[in-house]
Structure formats: C-alpha cells, structure tokens
Amino acid sequence: MTSIRWPICLLRKYLTSSTKNKHRKYLFTGVTTGLAAVTIGNVSRDDQIVMGSRGILRFIRTMRIGLTISLDYYFSMLGLSEGSPNYEFMMSRIHQRSAERIRDGCLYNGGTYIKLGQGLVSMSHILPKEYIQTLKVLQDKCLSREKEELYQVFQQDFGMKPEELFETFDATPLAAASIAQVFLATTKEGQKVAVKVQYKDLQKRLDSDVMMINIHLAIGAWLHPKVDFTWILNDFVEALKQELDFVNEGHNGERCARELAHLKYVYVPKIFWKYTNTRVLVTEFVEGIKISDVQKLKENGFSLADINNKLFEAFGHQIFQTGFVHADPHPGNVLIRRRNGRSEIIILDHGLYQKISKEQRTALSHLWKAIVFRDHNNMKTYSKALGVDDYAMFAEILTQAPLRSTGFKLKAALTKQEEEVMRKLAGERFDQIVECLQQMPRSLLLVIRNLNTIRAISYDHGCPIDRYSVLARMATKAAFESEDKKVLKRKIIVFLKRLWFEINLLIAKMLIYWRTLLLRILCITGLAPDMNAFIENTARKL
C-alpha cells in the first residue's frame, strides 16, 4: 500500500497548484496511465497480472459511469429551473438513470465497490429517494459467482469438496453479498447451518481496488474540492480487512451474543468452529423475516413499534454501554422472528465492529442527553470533549435532523418539507460537515454509520417510535453508571437522577406535543403562518 501512495500525493499536490488547467489534465492523463501500468507491471505471477488487468477494467468502468452521470445531469438540467412545471418529474428521471448506473457498476465491480454502494443506502435523509430504492438491492442480492469458484475455495482450504465436508450441501446460494455467498448445508451431526464462503479473489484484489478508489477520490477532490474524502480511505481499508477475516467475524459474533445476553429479544446464531476458517464461516441456520420487509411483518402480526424499540435499545446498548458496536446493521443483516410469542431480533454478519473507549462513550452519552434536553452549554462542553468545535453541526450529524431550523426540537418523524430542508442544507454546508467529521474521533465514524443505518430502517417503518428518547435512555443510563455507586447513598442519588430524567423527558415530550397541536390549530384558523413554509424560509436564511 505504501508504494502506491506517493504518485497519488504528487498528483493531488500538482492538481491543486496554480498551474494552468490544461497542464493539469495532461499530467492527470499521464499519471493515470502510468498508475494503470504500475498496477500490472508490479506483479509477476500470471494470476496477479489477471487481477491487475481486471482492476484496470473496474477503474475504467467506474470512470465511464462517473463521466456519464456528470454529463447527464449537466445537459439534462440545461434550461431547467426549480420553478419549472416539469422540474420534479425531470429530476426524478435523471436521479433514476444515475442510480441505476451506480447500481450496475457496483454489481459488476463487486467487493469494495458494493461496500461503498451499501454506504449510500443509509443516507436516505440526504440522497433522493430514487437512489435509495435502487441501491437497496446491494444489501443482499449481489451477483453470484460460478460454482467452480466455490469448489476451488473448499479444495484450497479443506482439501475436499463441500459435499464431502458436510452431510448435505446445496450449491445454489441463498444470498450473494458484497464479499461472500451464503449456502445451506447440514453437518455430519445433523445440524442445519448457513455456510458463508468468501469470493476467492477478494484478498488478492484488495490492494489494486484500494489504489483505484484512491485515484477516484483524488480526481473527485480535484473536480470538487469540497468533496475530498481521501482522508477516510485508510479507515475504510482497515474496516474491509476486518471483514475479510471470517475467524475475526466469528469471535465478534460470540462477543456480541455475550454482551447482549441480558436482552432476551436479541439472538446471534452460534458459530461452528470445526468448519470455520478465514474464508469460510459456518453458523447456525436461523430463519426470519428481513426487517425491511414491512408488508410481510404486518401480515405476520408483528408490531413495527415493538421491533423499532428493541432495535434502538439493542444498538443503543452497544454504542453507549459496551463500546463494541456493530458497524453494518443494514436490513440484510437483521431478521425478525417470533419466539415464545414475542418478536425476536436476529443479528447477522459480525465482520465489522467498532470499539469505543470508555471516555468517548461517557462524553457521547452526556452529549446525547444534552441534545434531547436542548442544553446548549453541555452540548458545547461534551462536543469539545470529543474534539469537535461546531457542536450544532455535530448534533445534527448524530441525530440526522435539521436541529437549527427547528429550534433543536427532536421529532419522531420529519415532514417532507423538513427532509427537503435537510438535503438542501447538506449540500450548502458540505464543507462544514466534512470538517466536523475530520475533527471527531475516527471511532465515531462507524458509529454514525450505525445510527444512519438503523434510522433508515425506522424511516422505512414509518418512524413508529421516538427513537431519540429510546437512545437518550440508553445514553443517560451509561452516564449515570459511570458514577461511583459503591456507597448506598450514591446508589440512591443515581436512582433519583434517573427518575428525574424520566420525568423531564416526559414533560419535554408533552410540551412539544401541545405546542405542535396549538400551532396547527392557529395555522388552520389563520392566526399563525404556515409552519412548513416558515421552516423552509428559515433554512434559506441559515
């Protein structure tokens, strides 16, 4: 990895200098071509040459898609203004075409590119709905590979065919994800299991893919200086290396099961270590309904409010109390089933976890509590403790809500106007958002991804609960538990504090409800302005 970073740094340094644009483009063409040659030239074995060649094809395909999308937006929007009668219709068509191009590109490129596409799905509060709906397919329906590849992996790792290792083995994949396919099998002991088999070329192509993505990011930073995410690439690479080690995933799953054992509504499938190595993971096969399949959940009599409450409690416990956080809880990794008459959450895919220190958890807990109670002094204090200067922006990133345009009032669900405000503000304040992300501890980046992902699930369910209050309870519990409770007097004080918190939380919710109801009545009777229009006007002034 180190050997390929220097040309990227030289490229970025030159492209951001005062040299004429045409010279920059000449250098860009030369360096890009040179890097392409390096990818192939630095390998010696035939299979490595093939990997390098395919990496170049993935790079060219991605460049073509990016250029096509840019040109489509540019030419399709010529003469089109927001006031045009067909503006929404035309923009929807452009968004749809672009989303389909990204989806197809991710599917063809596979691996790391699918991971990037999955990250976009959790940004439903920022990206147009066409992107979210189209890219959701990347969560569990990626392109499957040839059976020959499956047998090669088993032959290399176990010295036998899967049919010889297991009592029964179905070679038709149940699911095809970004880095592996999942198959159904039965062990020699008669246990029904899910067999997760990694694509054989992923570990070999990692370096070339990372280099190509680095080039894409450098080009993006050149064309759009405010959209510079090259600084996050190292974290992405480390995260991907975690996911490619299935032994590590097995240990993560067992730790998750232990730490959430007190939550009787959470279940983590058991690991079968006898059949597991770095590229093959065998777990107990558990059936359930995808948490995003709202219609099927309703048909089977599940309460969406109950599911959401349990979902936010479970991951809130990880974020604020254990500090061992599942960083990829997308709908393909969370199933729902009924057990003993109650809904149970099944958490799958434990490849990517983030550890948060006790100090960071405590500061984050106090910050979340301050956000819920609109305590700006404590927001500022604990935001600073986490290294972030702009506490308001930090609060908006954590809650995924336009707090400054709503007077820091948290709502269970945003109106369409408020969602549109968020998208506009995200574009207008992009440089502030990036600066905030760069200031905060790196460990919180994947936590924010977790919050974004489960928020997107709640959004698809119609936001049936007040998720902020649920997370606030988990945060406050963590904050109080950080205090010394060895003495009986201290235990009583902590109990009273928690009781006072619940009372304040209830009062705050009631005040917001009655204020909202009063404003609606005044608006209907003409005694107050339309609040949606007010929010939009306020956002424009910010």
Side-chain angles (χ1 to χ4, degrees):
M1 283 296 297
T2 305
S3 61
I4 65 175
R5 283 179 189 158
W6 68 267
I8 299 296
C9 296
L10 288 175
L11 173 64
R12 292 189 64 220
K13 183 177 180 180
Y14 189 87
L15 293 181
T16 53
S17 69
S18 57
T19 313
K20 291 181 179 180
N21 286 338
K22 65 177 183 179
H23 293 152
R24 294 179 188 174
K25 291 184 174 102
Y26 293 153
L27 178 65
F28 159 69
T29 303
V31 173
T32 303
T33 306
L35 286 170
V38 168
T39 305
I40 298 177
N42 277 350
V43 295
S44 54
R45 288 168 37 198
D46 290 344
D47 61 336
Q48 290 177 324
I49 293 175
V50 171
M51 287 292 106
S53 302
R54 289 176 179 172
I56 297 300
L57 291 176
R58 289 191 292 273
F59 172 76
I60 294 172
R61 182 183 296 121
T62 306
M63 287 295 295
R64 176 178 58 79
I65 291 170
L67 181 60
T68 303
I69 290 174
S70 296
L71 292 175
D72 190 0
Y73 271 101
Y74 178 77
F75 287 109
S76 298
M77 293 178 67
L78 285 176
L80 189 66
S81 63
E82 290 192 33
S84 304
N86 62 338
Y87 176 79
E88 294 294 336
F89 174 74
M90 289 298 296
M91 290 306 300
S92 179
R93 291 183 62 180
I94 301 169
H95 293 329
Q96 187 61 42
R97 290 196 299 267
S98 301
E100 289 172 359
R101 290 175 181 129
I102 292 175
R103 176 201 62 197
D104 295 343
C106 289
L107 287 172
Y108 279 116
N109 286 345
T112 51
Y113 291 88
I114 289 176
K115 280 293 171 190
L116 293 174
Q118 288 175 347
L120 294 176
V121 180
S122 64
M123 301 173 68
S124 59
H125 56 303
I126 294 177
L127 294 176
K129 64 180 183 300
E130 291 82 4
Y131 282 87
I132 307 305
Q133 294 301 323
T134 304
L135 296 177
K136 278 184 177 179
V137 71
L138 299 177
Q139 291 176 336
D140 63 350
K141 296 186 184 300
C142 304
L143 296 179
S144 58
R145 301 288 189 94
E146 296 294 329
K147 289 184 180 179
E148 181 62 29
E149 178 177 319
L150 167 70
Y151 287 99
Q152 287 176 0
V153 171
F154 270 89
Q155 196 63 45
Q156 291 169 5
D157 289 14
F158 296 99
M160 62 180 75
K161 296 178 181 178
E163 289 87 353
E164 297 172 335
L165 185 64
F166 297 98
E167 185 66 29
T168 63
F169 185 89
D170 186 351
T172 302
L174 291 172
S178 57
I179 64 173
Q181 297 180 98
V182 180
F183 303 88
L184 181 62
T186 306
T187 66
K188 298 290 187 180
E189 296 76 25
Q191 175 70 49
K192 203 173 183 181
V193 293
V195 183
K196 183 177 179 180
V197 184
Q198 191 176 120
Y199 300 128
K200 70 169 187 175
D201 61 344
L202 275 188
Q203 297 189 19
K204 292 180 181 178
R205 61 180 266 191
L206 178 61
D207 285 348
S208 63
D209 271 1
V210 168
M211 184 181 74
M212 294 305 173
I213 291 171
N214 208 340
I215 296 173
H216 290 311
L217 291 174
I219 294 169
W222 171 46
L223 296 173
H224 307 283
K226 291 185 179 181
V227 191
D228 184 0
F229 280 106
T230 52
W231 56 275
I232 207 173
L233 187 63
N234 287 339
D235 296 311
F236 175 76
V237 173
E238 289 305 313
L240 191 58
K241 285 180 179 177
Q242 276 190 53
E243 292 195 83
L244 291 179
D245 183 356
F246 285 177
V247 172
N248 177 66
E249 178 174 344
H251 289 309
N252 287 346
E254 290 186 333
R255 179 172 173 180
C256 174
R258 288 194 304 271
E259 293 182 346
L260 298 182
H262 65 290
L263 301 177
K264 302 304 179 184
Y265 54 78
V266 173
Y267 189 81
V268 178
K270 296 179 179 64
I271 310 297
F272 288 81
W273 290 107
K274 177 182 176 182
Y275 305 96
T276 294
N277 62 23
T278 55
R279 293 199 298 177
V280 178
L281 175 68
V282 179
T283 67
E284 171 190 6
F285 178 74
V286 182
E287 293 185 272
I289 303 171
K290 258 181 72 174
I291 197 168
S292 59
D293 194 343
V294 176
Q295 184 176 348
K296 199 168 183 181
L297 289 171
K298 287 182 177 179
E299 287 173 356
N300 284 270
F302 287 100
S303 164
L304 296 182
D306 177 56
I307 290 171
N308 276 258
N309 194 67
K310 291 174 178 177
L311 180 73
F312 281 91
E313 274 190 356
F315 289 115
H317 182 81
Q318 286 189 333
I319 292 169
F320 296 113
Q321 295 181 55
T322 69
F324 189 63
V325 184
H326 194 306
D328 195 21
H330 66 70
N333 291 338
V334 183
L335 304 179
I336 304 298
R337 71 176 178 182
R338 197 180 303 282
R339 194 177 189 187
N340 299 325
R342 298 180 179 181
S343 60
E344 184 177 64
I345 294 177
I346 303 165
I347 303 177
L348 309 174
D349 195 348
H350 300 269
L352 184 57
Y353 269 74
Q354 180 62 63
K355 296 176 183 177
I356 316 172
S357 69
K358 184 177 180 180
E359 293 75 18
Q360 290 173 354
R361 290 201 313 272
T362 301
L364 187 61
S365 299
H366 283 290
L367 175 61
W368 195 276
K369 178 184 170 185
I371 293 171
V372 172
F373 286 116
R374 291 187 281 174
D375 182 347
H376 290 264
N377 287 332
N378 273 329
M379 275 190 254
K380 188 179 296 184
T381 298
Y382 291 107
S383 181
K384 279 278 188 184
L386 290 167
V388 180
D389 296 324
D390 189 345
Y391 76 89
M393 177 59 70
F394 194 10
E396 288 185 331
I397 291 173
L398 282 173
T399 59
Q400 303 106 46
L403 298 178
R404 281 175 282 194
S405 61
T406 61
F408 276 77
K409 294 177 183 176
L410 291 167
K411 298 169 64 177
L414 299 178
T415 64
K416 290 184 178 180
Q417 289 82 0
E418 288 167 337
E419 289 174 19
E420 187 59 33
V421 165
M422 278 205 69
R423 292 189 179 96
K424 288 181 180 178
L425 291 178
E428 294 168 5
R429 298 173 176 169
F430 199 82
D431 53 340
Q432 293 173 258
I433 293 173
V434 172
E435 184 181 1
C436 184
L437 292 174
Q438 287 178 318
Q439 287 181 346
M440 71 177 66
R442 288 287 190 270
S443 58
L444 293 189
L445 293 177
L446 288 179
V447 171
I448 289 171
R449 175 177 173 172
N450 176 295
L451 290 170
N452 271 332
T453 306
I454 60 177
R455 184 213 58 82
I457 292 172
S458 177
Y459 181 85
D460 288 342
H461 287 185
C463 301
I465 66 166
D466 180 0
R467 67 180 186 275
Y468 303 112
S469 295
V470 175
L471 290 173
R473 286 192 182 93
M474 305 307 294
T476 304
K477 184 179 179 182
F480 288 154
E481 286 181 352
S482 67
E483 300 180 22
D484 184 13
K485 296 184 293 179
K486 294 180 180 178
V487 183
L488 178 60
K489 181 180 177 181
R490 173 57 61 184
K491 288 183 179 181
I492 295 172
I493 292 173
V494 169
F495 171 77
L496 292 174
K497 281 185 177 180
R498 292 184 64 179
L499 180 62
W500 181 241
F501 166 79
E502 290 293 338
I503 293 171
N504 275 279
L505 189 61
L506 179 62
I507 293 171
K509 290 173 69 175
M510 289 177 64
L511 284 174
I512 291 173
Y513 171 78
W514 287 111
R515 284 173 184 168
T516 304
L517 182 62
L518 179 59
L519 285 172
R520 284 179 181 172
I521 293 171
L522 292 174
C523 182
I524 292 171
T525 57
L527 298 175
D530 181 79
M531 290 308 298
N532 291 329
F534 175 75
I535 289 171
E536 200 162 342
N537 291 332
T538 303
R540 289 198 184 101
K541 295 175 183 177
L542 292 173

